[in-house]
Amino acid sequence: MADGPHSLKSSGENNEPLKTFIKKSWDCIVPALYNIEPLLDHLIANNLLQVNDRSEILAEKTPQQKARKLLEIVYCQLDERSTSVFIDCLKKCQHQYPRLKEWLMEGPDIHRGPSDIHRGPSEQKLRKQSHELCNRLGSLVTPISMKLFSKELLNPHELELIQNEVTTYSQCQKLVAVCLGKGEKACSSLYQAILEEDQFLSYEIDANKEQTSLSQVPKSILCSSPDCAKAVEETWPVLNRMSLEDSGIPGSMVSNTEFLNLREETYVSMPESKQETGPQNLQSFPVEENQQALLHEAMQLFQIDASSGMSLNICKLGVALGLPRDTVMNYLLALETADDLSQLRALINWFMDNIGDSERLKLRMRMCDRKRMELSQRGKLLLELLQQACQMQYSEEEDMHPAVIVQFILRDCLTEVQEELPFQQPNLGLVDCLQELQKNSRVDPLIVQELQEIWNEIEPSNLQQSVISVAQLVRDTFPLVHPSEHEGMFLSKRRYKCYQRLVQRVTAFKGLPVTAVRRVFTSKHSAARTAEFSDSVCRQYEDLCFKILKVLYRIKGQHSANHGTNPDNAQLSGHDLANAIHNVLSEPEFACSLFDSGVRSRILTLLDYKSILVHVPYLLTLHCNTTSLLADYLKRSESHSFQFCFEDIHIFHDVAAFHNLYSIKDPVAIDNGIEEVFRFRVSEQASFVVRLYCRGYIDRKAFKCQEPASYLFHSTQESILREAQDLGTVIAVERQCVWLRRNVEEDLKTRLEKLLPDSQSGYIEEGTCCFLIKPLSTECDVRFIFKDNAISAKAERDADVL
């Protein structure tokens, strides 16, 4: 096949100007015909090509080869009149080939060559930056391609070609090639899509903009709303880095402004403080290109940009990189800001300054799962409330003291981590909340100690000092995980304690019918409204309270005839409505054993902080979330009144580690028992023993089952170990110990004790129910069954169970 016009036989250029016109424009037409099939359809319809010609053209491997084959047929086989029809066909589908639109409008000119085809500024810029873009777009190529597809700048065939490429680099190459083939509009739209997806990347690759200072970056990149922009302007010094000598922070722990400049051996000048209370001795600091590249890769991996705010737990990333949590926490708490980008930058700088192995860092970052860092919706809302609190102007009113908002957040954290909240719950103050959090093993004592020192005296200025610690407390307290998930806490070699990440309260509450819940939360009430509720925010607050009151009456299971108050007809509003909810929640039906004390606590919190709602309208979003959580809790589920509790795991492998386990199917009552399927994840394929028990309520009576019980028998004498194996069901044997399961109504412990003449010869560990799991891969599913007051297990997927 001919590779270009010069290999074709001349057919008389003076007598055939149209064919000459095509020959001289060959280099422009070939890349422009990136999707040739629409044009072929037109040519067949006008009898310029036969079906076998179409097949021959499409048999070529690349779009450029297909275009060359078509032009070869046109140039060698068509006469001048047919060539004119060919150009008419091009005009009919010119929307498919925007690069040729201007070329077709101007018409043939034998003196005009390919250099006369106009290329716009975006197209020229993309040609120069194509290599850089292919290296830096990475995973952004998918959302950018979808944006261009939604704007009809890419057709389905082109989108499929891009997505079919194996690597992100080749996908970027294909995307850039398609946009260059389509001309100025497509190239401009590509840059616009990059700006929408990653604003800082857009400014970094813009050759016409020299960003050497954070003050030069448009505020629109940092803030999406005028109010936010104003707040950033007012609090600008807070975002800046204090003098390293004055702050005592290591040079590697810098603010989120450092990453703006990519050029080697340049310096970022920090904007001067505009507030008297701001830092006075601002410095410049060097930017290292290697660390900057690592930061950008991390930003892409974990989907972080300047607008991310506080939405991930970066401390989790530090631990996943192999660093001790205390080390990571100490450095994060020493920062000036709590946003994800600042913390990510600080973590990368610390790793490179102290470890210095960029390839090791890259490998570990790529192995990290972003989902392990994500926060629940409740956590994100609390962090947003904290950010808004920092931007507010506080008056002398006691209700609007910044400590009130911090107290609200701390109280919500306490509700999340404390398993049993008191029925007569006092209205805890800020210091009281910190004291209760200090007693809780789920809370990092370093964070609580930091907050206690800051809030030793209640001052408005304490808010800014405590933002980072409060934000980290929220991040640790509200992970986005399944309520049943257990993590492995390393105890000793091969042994892990199963630690449930979220508190799961088991009560006798069974839930309400779905239709009853739906009726309550979709209904509108017509209670009396007073001037107190004239504001729309307060009206919405009252609606929430009224629906909560209705559903509480529904839970109580009694009608208005028995109580003298029917929430459907009562003219309640304001203080009376709050009192009615308080009174219902004080009834015995809402005791800790009958109703989730955490849900109850959040309803009470919704009432206790009503006075600041007018000053902090965003608080209504948290109240709506509280109502949503209540609606979810009200749905019927066996998980309200039943739970499998995992204690520990022993792995029979020197290298393998236990990662986590979680329920993949909610517990189901069937065949006079309850079944639930759990997924186990380990680092290497290795057998392990898991110990567990179950608890719950039957007919409002609590129970705990750990049958059939198991024993871990230790002895240094092999003869004694062999005798022990004959006394019960052997689960596993390792070195000088054996796991045994007790048979029904068998006093196995007494018989084992008789084998040990003295304490020197061995000892016995009495445990709960125990099973040996042999996974066929690093992930397996096991079904646990509680029936007839005993627990059994069987393999569900990729495992053998004993």
Side-chain angles (χ1 to χ4, degrees):
M1 186 191 75
D3 292 327
H6 302 292
S7 62
L8 300 177
K9 181 180 177 181
S10 175
S11 51
E13 294 185 357
N14 295 333
N15 297 327
E16 298 179 315
L18 290 179
K19 297 176 74 171
T20 302
F21 172 53
I22 290 176
K23 179 181 176 182
K24 289 185 175 292
S25 303
W26 194 285
D27 291 342
C28 292
I29 299 175
V30 168
L33 298 180
Y34 49 87
N35 180 22
I36 205 169
E37 293 189 31
L39 177 58
L40 295 181
D41 293 338
H42 279 281
L43 296 177
I44 291 175
N46 285 273
N47 295 318
L48 294 182
L49 290 180
Q50 301 298 321
V51 175
N52 59 336
D53 293 329
R54 185 180 189 274
S55 301
E56 187 178 348
I57 292 169
L58 294 180
E60 299 292 336
K61 294 182 179 180
T62 67
Q64 291 82 7
Q65 290 173 343
K66 293 174 184 177
R68 293 189 189 102
K69 185 65 176 178
L70 172 62
L71 294 182
E72 178 185 338
I73 292 174
V74 170
Y75 193 82
C76 296
Q77 298 181 15
L78 300 186
D79 56 20
E80 190 71 1
R81 180 177 173 279
S82 297
T83 304
S84 176
V85 178
F86 168 76
I87 294 176
D88 289 339
C89 291
L90 266 177
K91 290 180 180 179
K92 289 178 182 179
C93 54
Q94 60 181 320
H95 63 283
Q96 295 281 351
Y97 315 113
R99 278 284 312 279
L100 297 178
K101 189 175 294 186
E102 182 180 348
W103 178 80
L104 289 167
M105 289 177 61
E106 293 183 4
D109 183 348
I110 61 173
H111 300 295
R112 181 153 59 94
S115 59
D116 297 303
I117 299 295
H118 175 70
R119 291 190 176 94
S122 296
E123 185 181 354
Q124 296 177 30
K125 177 180 170 183
L126 183 57
R127 284 183 178 275
K128 294 178 182 178
Q129 296 182 335
S130 58
H131 177 68
E132 181 184 4
L133 279 176
C134 290
N135 276 306
R136 303 192 62 185
L137 280 185
S139 59
L140 290 177
V141 67
T142 300
I144 289 174
S145 300
M146 293 305 299
K147 280 183 179 290
L148 297 180
F149 176 71
S150 64
K151 295 178 181 179
E152 298 185 351
L153 291 168
L154 293 180
N155 58 42
H157 175 71
E158 294 158 349
L159 182 63
E160 184 180 1
L161 289 177
I162 293 170
Q163 294 176 341
N164 285 343
E165 294 293 334
V166 178
T167 65
T168 55
Y169 185 87
S170 58
Q171 288 177 341
C172 294
Q173 281 184 314
K174 182 67 70 175
L175 175 62
V176 169
V178 170
C179 290
L180 286 173
K182 294 196 171 195
E184 175 65 17
K185 182 180 178 181
C187 296
S188 177
S189 298
L190 173 61
Y191 279 106
Q192 180 62 32
I194 295 173
L195 178 62
E196 293 171 0
E197 287 296 322
D198 190 333
Q199 296 167 324
F200 274 104
L201 173 61
S202 174
Y203 275 82
E204 287 169 5
I205 64 176
D206 191 343
N208 297 322
K209 291 180 168 42
E210 296 295 332
Q211 300 288 354
T212 58
S213 170
L214 181 61
S215 60
Q216 292 177 276
V217 179
K219 299 296 187 294
S220 60
I221 294 182
L222 300 175
C223 321
S224 57
S225 66
D227 293 339
C228 179
K230 181 180 179 182
V232 170
E233 197 68 46
E234 291 172 351
T235 60
W236 200 257
V238 179
L239 299 174
N240 299 332
R241 184 176 69 104
M242 296 180 65
S243 170
L244 297 181
E245 289 77 14
D246 294 341
S247 64
I249 301 175
S252 61
M253 306 302 292
V254 295
S255 73
N256 60 334
T257 58
E258 179 181 340
F259 78 96
L260 290 174
N261 198 314
L262 291 177
R263 288 172 298 281
E264 189 176 1
E265 297 180 354
T266 57
Y267 290 83
V268 178
S269 301
M270 305 301 294
E272 296 182 358
S273 174
K274 296 181 181 179
Q275 298 181 358
E276 295 180 1
T277 58
Q280 302 295 324
N281 300 319
L282 299 174
Q283 297 183 358
S284 298
F285 52 86
V287 175
E288 296 184 21
E289 185 175 0
N290 184 37
Q291 292 186 12
Q292 190 55 47
L294 288 170
L295 174 63
H296 185 75
E297 180 173 341
M299 289 170 65
Q300 288 186 328
L301 282 172
F302 306 118
Q303 301 171 32
I304 296 175
D305 56 30
S307 63
S308 297
M310 297 185 286
S311 59
L312 296 175
N313 191 348
I314 302 299
C315 183
K316 273 289 207 182
L317 173 61
V319 174
L321 295 178
L323 304 176
R325 176 182 164 86
D326 289 346
T327 301
V328 178
M329 188 63 68
N330 274 316
Y331 278 99
L332 294 184
L333 293 180
L335 291 176
E336 291 290 322
T337 56
D339 62 280
D340 296 343
L341 194 54
S342 296
Q343 292 192 344
L344 181 65
R345 175 66 191 218
L347 188 60
I348 290 175
N349 284 351
W350 187 95
F351 193 99
M352 291 304 297
D353 288 349
N354 292 273
I355 309 299
D357 190 340
S358 61
E359 292 304 317
R360 186 179 180 184
L361 176 59
K362 285 181 183 179
L363 178 62
R364 294 198 173 185
M365 286 196 303
R366 290 166 185 166
M367 293 173 62
C368 291
D369 185 358
R370 185 182 188 275
K371 292 182 179 179
R372 308 297 297 173
M373 303 158 54
E374 292 181 5
L375 308 180
S376 67
Q377 181 67 17
R378 185 80 180 184
K380 292 178 181 178
L381 293 176
L382 288 171
L383 290 176
E384 180 63 29
L385 175 64
L386 179 63
Q387 293 177 81
Q388 293 205 8
C390 295
Q391 299 168 8
M392 292 177 59
Q393 298 294 326
Y394 295 96
S395 62
E396 298 298 325
E397 300 178 38
E398 184 177 352
D399 285 346
M400 273 314 296
H401 196 285
V404 176
I405 295 180
V406 175
Q407 175 186 327
F408 176 90
I409 296 174
L410 294 181
R411 183 169 165 179
D412 208 75
C413 291
L414 183 61
T415 298
E416 191 73 8
V417 299
Q418 194 164 333
E419 185 161 355
E420 287 192 15
L421 296 161
F423 184 60
Q424 300 296 332
Q425 182 177 348
N427 190 1
L428 299 176
L430 190 151
V431 176
D432 299 324
C433 288
L434 289 174
Q435 290 176 350
E436 291 297 321
L437 287 168
Q438 190 176 33
K439 301 174 187 176
N440 197 292
S441 60
R442 291 178 169 271
V443 180
D444 191 326
L446 180 64
I447 297 177
V448 179
Q449 182 182 352
E450 181 81 10
L451 289 171
Q452 285 176 326
E453 292 175 0
I454 293 174
W455 290 99
N456 187 36
E457 295 182 4
I458 306 298
E459 298 290 342
S461 60
N462 293 351
L463 177 62
Q464 291 291 348
Q465 300 177 42
S466 64
V467 165
I468 296 177
S469 299
V470 174
Q472 190 57 49
L473 176 62
V474 172
R475 283 166 160 145
D476 290 341
T477 306
F478 294 91
L480 182 62
V481 295
H482 191 280
S484 67
E485 179 169 342
H486 291 67
E487 283 189 338
M489 183 182 295
F490 183 78
L491 293 178
S492 59
K493 186 177 181 181
R494 300 186 176 190
R495 190 178 178 190
Y496 295 82
K497 178 183 178 182
C498 295
Y499 172 80
Q500 191 165 3
R501 294 190 67 185
L502 297 181
V503 169
Q504 184 176 349
R505 302 179 183 93
V506 178
T507 69
F509 181 68
K510 291 290 188 179
L512 296 178
V514 175
T515 53
V517 177
R518 186 184 298 121
R519 277 197 299 271
V520 171
F521 287 102
T522 57
S523 63
K524 295 183 180 180
H525 76 92
S526 57
R529 300 190 185 277
T530 63
E532 180 184 3
F533 289 98
S534 59
D535 183 83
S536 62
V537 172
C538 291
R539 284 201 303 271
Q540 294 178 62
Y541 172 80
E542 182 185 304
D543 288 338
L544 292 178
C545 290
F546 192 84
K547 290 175 179 178
I548 289 172
L549 180 60
K550 282 188 68 175
V551 81
L552 293 180
Y553 270 94
R554 181 66 176 80
I555 294 170
K556 193 173 180 183
Q558 297 180 0
H559 302 285
S560 58
N562 298 337
H563 280 272
T565 303
N566 185 346
D568 287 323
N569 302 318
Q571 300 298 301
L572 296 174
S573 62
H575 186 68
D576 293 337
L577 191 57
N579 282 340
I581 295 175
H582 270 288
N583 291 337
V584 177
L585 287 175
S586 63
E587 298 286 344
E589 286 81 359
F590 295 94
C592 296
S593 62
L594 302 177
F595 191 79
D596 191 316
S597 59
V599 175
R600 181 178 180 276
S601 175
R602 286 209 168 99
I603 295 174
L604 293 174
T605 302
L606 179 147
L607 302 175
D608 294 342
Y609 289 85
K610 172 183 172 291
S611 59
I612 66 171
L613 185 60
V614 175
H615 306 285
V616 193
Y618 187 79
L619 207 57
L620 182 65
T621 308
L622 269 300
H623 295 337
C624 289
N625 182 255
T626 295
T627 310
S628 176
L629 294 174
L630 173 61
D632 287 339
Y633 175 70
L634 294 176
K635 297 174 184 176
R636 289 192 184 276
S637 174
E638 297 296 334
S639 60
H640 292 321
S641 57
F642 180 83
Q643 179 189 17
F644 282 110
C645 303
F646 295 86
E647 292 189 311
D648 56 37
I649 282 181
H650 185 97
I651 297 185
F652 299 103
H653 196 287
D654 289 330
V655 179
F658 169 63
H659 286 165
N660 64 342
L661 68 90
Y662 53 91
S663 173
I664 61 172
K665 293 181 180 178
D666 289 339
V668 177
I670 185 172
D671 296 334
N672 297 320
I674 297 180
E675 302 180 2
E676 189 169 7
V677 179
F678 287 86
R679 177 162 295 165
F680 292 82
R681 296 177 64 246
V682 291
S683 62
E684 306 285 342
Q685 181 182 346
S687 299
F688 57 88
V689 166
V690 57
R691 294 198 293 188
L692 73 153
Y693 64 92
C694 66
R695 61 173 182 157
Y697 283 82
I698 298 178
D699 297 329
R700 291 201 169 190
K701 294 182 180 179
F703 76 88
K704 178 180 178 180
C705 175
Q706 54 188 28
E707 295 294 333
S710 64
Y711 298 90
L712 180 56
F713 186 81
H714 298 261
S715 178
T716 56
Q717 301 179 27
E718 292 186 9
S719 59
I720 294 179
L721 282 176
R722 285 195 297 270
E723 289 184 50
Q725 294 178 35
D726 296 330
L727 298 180
T729 302
V730 178
I731 301 172
V733 179
E734 185 187 43
R735 297 187 179 96
Q736 298 177 346
C737 59
V738 57
W739 281 264
L740 296 167
R741 182 181 297 137
R742 184 179 66 188
N743 295 325
V744 180
E745 299 180 356
E746 181 184 47
D747 191 2
L748 179 59
K749 184 177 180 181
T750 302
R751 298 173 65 185
L752 289 173
E753 288 174 343
K754 292 179 180 179
L755 295 178
L756 301 175
D758 54 63
S759 59
Q760 301 297 322
S761 56
Y763 62 94
I764 303 170
E765 287 184 37
E766 185 174 3
T768 55
C769 189
C770 180
F771 297 96
L772 174 65
I773 299 176
K774 300 177 180 180
L776 304 180
S777 65
T778 57
E779 190 175 278
C780 67
D781 299 342
V782 178
R783 181 182 296 271
F784 292 93
I785 304 166
F786 168 68
K787 186 176 180 180
D788 298 331
N789 200 34
I791 301 173
S792 59
K794 65 179 183 179
E796 186 78 5
R797 181 183 67 88
D798 293 342
D800 293 324
V801 178
L802 177 59

